[in-house]
Each structure stands twice: as C-alpha cells, then as structure tokens.
C-alpha cells in the first residue's frame, strides 16, 4: 500500500492539482479552476484523436477477438497437432516489446526498402500504401499481431476451467464439436470475453507506442494529435503546456472509464435478458 500510494496515488493527485493551473508569462502558474477541462472538451484536435481511436477500436478489436477465440477453441478441441508449440508460437508476439514490434513492422511496411514493396516491384505491381492512407489499418495489424496471443491465453485458460462433464453430456445427446463449441463453450466464455473486451477498450484509447514509432516513418500522416495519448505527450514535452496536457490526460481517463462502464452495463443487461 505504501508503494502503491507513493508511485500511483500521489503522482495522480499531483497531476490533478496541476491540471487546475495555467502557465503564464507574467505571474507564472495561475489557478484557473476547470478552464483547462472546458478547453479540452471543446478541443477539435482532441476530439479528432478520440474519434480516430474509436474507429481503430471498432476495426481492430473485433478482428483480434475473433482470431483469439478461434485459436483458443482450436487448441481446446484436442484435434490440433503440436498444440503446445502452436500455443507458444501464437503467444510469442506478446513477449515482443511494442516499440520493437512497431520498428519491425515499420521496416516491412517501408515503401522503398521494405520487402513487401520490393516483392511488389519484382511482380510489376504497386505496393499498398501502408504508411499513407492505410496507416490506421497498418497500426491495427501491429496491435492485432501483438495481443491476439495474450487474449487467446485468457480464453484458453477459461476453456480449460469448464467441467468436462458438460462435454460428456453433450456428446451423449449427439452434439458434435461445432455444436458443443457454439452451445456450451462460447456461452460459458462470456466472463472471459468481457474481461478481454474491457482490456481492449483501455488499450485502444491509450494507443501511443505504435503511432509514436511509426511517426518517424510517416510524419505527414501521423501528426501530433493522431491519438489522445500522443497529443498529451506532445503538449507536455514539445509545446511545454504541462497543465493542459495533465487535463487532457484526465479527460482521456474519464472517457476510458465511461466507455468501459457502458460496455459492462450493456453486457450485464444483455446477459440478464
């Protein structure tokens, strides 16, 4: 509790207090109350960044969760050969730091030096503009590659906890593997799926490492406000607007909490009905 208070609560409280001030050339830090928050809620750059990560969430998360669920069900079916090796191979990208993953995929996406562009050139075709119009999809591909294995492990662990008696009863009733997966496994995975989705909501709106690294390759595409986290970082360490950056960070935190709460509320209502 001492470490948690010193390393988390105290900095959080200080940042909250700091967000209530504004740095001025005359007078230094001046208390302005919630003026920074009023500015943040009407900031077109922040709103555009939030819309971009919301679109990213709608595109990337369903694909990632579908892949994670498919792999978890395949591993649990006991029909897959070398299941331990396959499980390790799928999980391995999660062990790669996100900065390294972004650098690696950035090399693959390179329009001049990347192997994809070179292969397309040899075939006489035009390589997709991964670092241009397709940038959001390119970042989504990196995140999917990184975190599919992580979500797969969570779902696979939940599958292993399901009593085998349910499968035996389903087999007696004539249910095949697909029917068992659809009627027993997937419904009982609802708590694990909700957990993975909440983690995905938090991770999507906190997107930072991948666009920060890819910005060096496409500075005209990934601008300073490409994501809310990147915007707050540039406000603080490039624009020297520390007070407003703190307010933007808290607004982002409020958006994440609201999004997670609404998702869990909708899920609970659906499960009750």
């Amino acid at each position: 509790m001492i470490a948690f208070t010193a390393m988390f609560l105290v900095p959080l409280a200080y940042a909250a207090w700091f967000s209530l001030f504004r740095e001025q050339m005359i007078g230094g830090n001046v208390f302005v109350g919630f003026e920074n928050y009023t500015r943040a809620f009407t900031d077109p750059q922040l709103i555009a960044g939030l819309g971009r990560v919301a679109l990213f969430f709608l595109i990337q998360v369903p694909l990632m969760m579908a892949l994670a669920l498919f792999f978890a069900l395949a591993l649990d079916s006991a029909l897959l050969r070398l299941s331990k090796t396959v499980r390790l191979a799928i999980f391995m990208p999660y062990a790669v730091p996100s900065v390294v993953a972004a650098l690696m995929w950035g090399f693959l996406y390179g329009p001049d030096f990347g192997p994809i562009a070179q292969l397309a050139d040899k075939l006489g075709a035009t390589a997709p503009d991964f670092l241009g119009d397709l940038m959001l999809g390119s970042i989504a591909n990196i995140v999917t590659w990184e975190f599919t294995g992580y979500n797969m492990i969570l779902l696979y662990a939940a599958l292993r906890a399901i009593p085998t008696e349910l499968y035996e009863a389903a087999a007696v009733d004539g249910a095949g593997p697909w029917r068992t997966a659809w009627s027993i496994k997937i419904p009982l995975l609802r708590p694990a799926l909700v957990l993975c989705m909440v983690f995905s909501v938090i991770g999507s709106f906190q997107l930072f490492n991948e666009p920060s690294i890819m910005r060096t390759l496409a500075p005209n595409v990934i601008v300073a406000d490409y994501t809310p986290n990147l915007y707050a970082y540039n406000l603080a360490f490039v624009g020297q607007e520390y007070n407003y950056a703190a307010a933007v960070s808290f607004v982002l935190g409020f958006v994440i909490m609201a999004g997670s709460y609404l998702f869990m509320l909708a899920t609970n209502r659906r499960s009750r009905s």
Side-chain angles (χ1 to χ4, degrees), residues 10-55:
V10 171
L12 196 64
Y14 176 73
W17 175 251
F18 199 61
S19 68
L20 303 178
F21 291 80
R22 183 180 66 232
E23 181 74 25
Q24 297 183 166
M25 294 184 64
I26 300 176
N29 263 338
V30 178
F31 183 80
V32 294
F34 292 99
E35 182 179 314
N36 287 325
Y37 291 92
T38 303
R39 175 187 170 188
F41 279 110
T42 57
D43 189 339
Q45 291 178 286
L46 177 59
I47 294 173
L50 287 171
R52 193 173 290 110
V53 293
L55 178 62

